[in-house]
Amino acid sequence: STMRLLLLLLLACTIRAFQTTNHLLVQNRPHYAPSKRDWRLKDATTTTTILSADEPVDFTDLMVMDVVLFQRRNAGSPKSIELGSVQENGNIAPLSTWTLESAYTSAINDMMEFVVDEEDLFPGMTSEEINVLSVLDGDVVGYGSRQVGGGKGPGNPHGEESEIIYYVDRAVVEGVYSTGVDDEVLNIDVVVNSNLEHLW
C-alpha cells in the first residue's frame, strides 16, 4: 500500500542519514580503511573501480532498499555486473529502466531512474544465486515513488498501489569495474524495458 511504501521510504532516509553521520565519524579516526558499505564513487572516466569477487558482501549485512552491484553465480564468463535492490523478504531483485536519459541533475549528481520489474520481484535472488560485490552509498543513490501502472488500468484502478523508484548516479551506471579475475574490465549490464515507462 501507499502508506507502507511511505514508511519504508522514511525508514530508508533515516538509515541513510545515520550511515552518512557514522561514515564521517569513522573517517576521522586514524587508520581508516573503507569497508564495502563505505564504497565511494571514483572518477569513472579515468579509474577502474576494483570490486572483490572473492569476498562478497554478506547478505546479513544488507538492509531493505539497499542498492547493490552483483554478479550471478551461474553466469558465463565474463560475468556481467548488474544493479539490484534488497527487498522486504531479504532477497535481491534486479533493477530495470525504461530510458537512458537523466531523471534529474544537480551540481554533483546526474541521476538515472530505475524500478523493479514486477516479473523480477518475487521471489528475488538469494546468496546461493548471486554474489553481492558492493553496496552503493547514499551520495550516489536516491529514492522516490510512483503509482503502479501510472495510477490507471486494471492492476491499480484507484491509484492505491505505489512502487519505489531508485535513482542511481550515471557515473556508477556507466563506470568501469574489475573483479580482479583475469584482468577483466567490466561494465554494468543495464536492462532497458520500454514497457516500464508510464505515458499518462
Side-chain angles (χ1 to χ4, degrees):
S1 66
T2 300
M3 182 59 70
R4 187 173 186 180
L5 178 62
L6 290 174
L7 289 173
L8 278 174
L9 287 172
L10 179 60
L11 176 62
C13 291
T14 302
I15 290 172
R16 291 300 176 191
F18 171 78
Q19 288 176 336
T20 300
T21 302
N22 186 61
H23 172 74
L24 291 174
L25 291 173
V26 173
Q27 194 172 27
N28 289 328
R29 296 174 186 169
H31 310 298
Y32 170 70
S35 67
K36 290 179 181 295
R37 182 168 290 280
D38 293 323
W39 182 87
R40 284 293 187 274
L41 178 65
K42 298 185 178 72
D43 183 353
T45 61
T46 59
T47 305
T48 298
T49 301
I50 306 300
L51 304 171
S52 176
D54 295 328
E55 300 179 3
V57 177
D58 194 324
F59 263 56
T60 61
D61 293 333
L62 300 174
M63 293 179 285
V64 175
M65 295 178 61
D66 271 346
V67 178
V68 303
L69 302 181
F70 72 89
Q71 286 183 316
R72 300 176 190 257
R73 289 179 178 267
N74 61 352
S77 183
K79 296 181 179 180
S80 62
I81 297 174
E82 300 178 57
L83 280 169
S85 66
V86 182
Q87 305 303 301
E88 290 184 74
N89 62 2
N91 292 341
I92 291 175
L95 295 179
S96 303
T97 187
W98 56 95
T99 178
L100 297 178
E101 296 181 0
S102 301
Y104 67 90
T105 60
S106 69
I108 58 174
N109 293 111
D110 178 0
M111 306 300 272
M112 301 173 65
E113 53 193 336
F114 297 83
V115 294
V116 175
D117 190 324
E118 61 180 9
E119 295 184 1
D120 298 323
L121 186 57
F122 298 108
M125 295 174 288
T126 68
S127 59
E128 296 181 355
E129 300 171 275
I130 64 172
N131 284 332
V132 175
L133 304 177
S134 180
V135 182
L136 299 186
D137 202 65
D139 54 359
V140 292
V141 172
Y143 301 92
S145 66
R146 69 176 187 177
Q147 292 180 319
V148 172
K152 298 181 180 181
N156 191 25
H158 305 296
E160 297 171 342
E161 298 295 327
S162 298
E163 62 184 347
I164 300 172
I165 297 178
Y166 301 86
Y167 297 103
V168 182
D169 196 289
R170 180 178 299 276
V172 174
V173 179
E174 298 180 353
V176 178
Y177 301 90
S178 173
T179 59
V181 178
D182 298 328
D183 295 324
E184 292 176 348
V185 176
L186 303 171
N187 300 103
I188 292 178
D189 185 11
V190 178
V191 178
V192 180
N193 181 356
S194 60
N195 294 326
L196 297 174
E197 182 177 14
H198 291 171
L199 299 176
W200 53 75

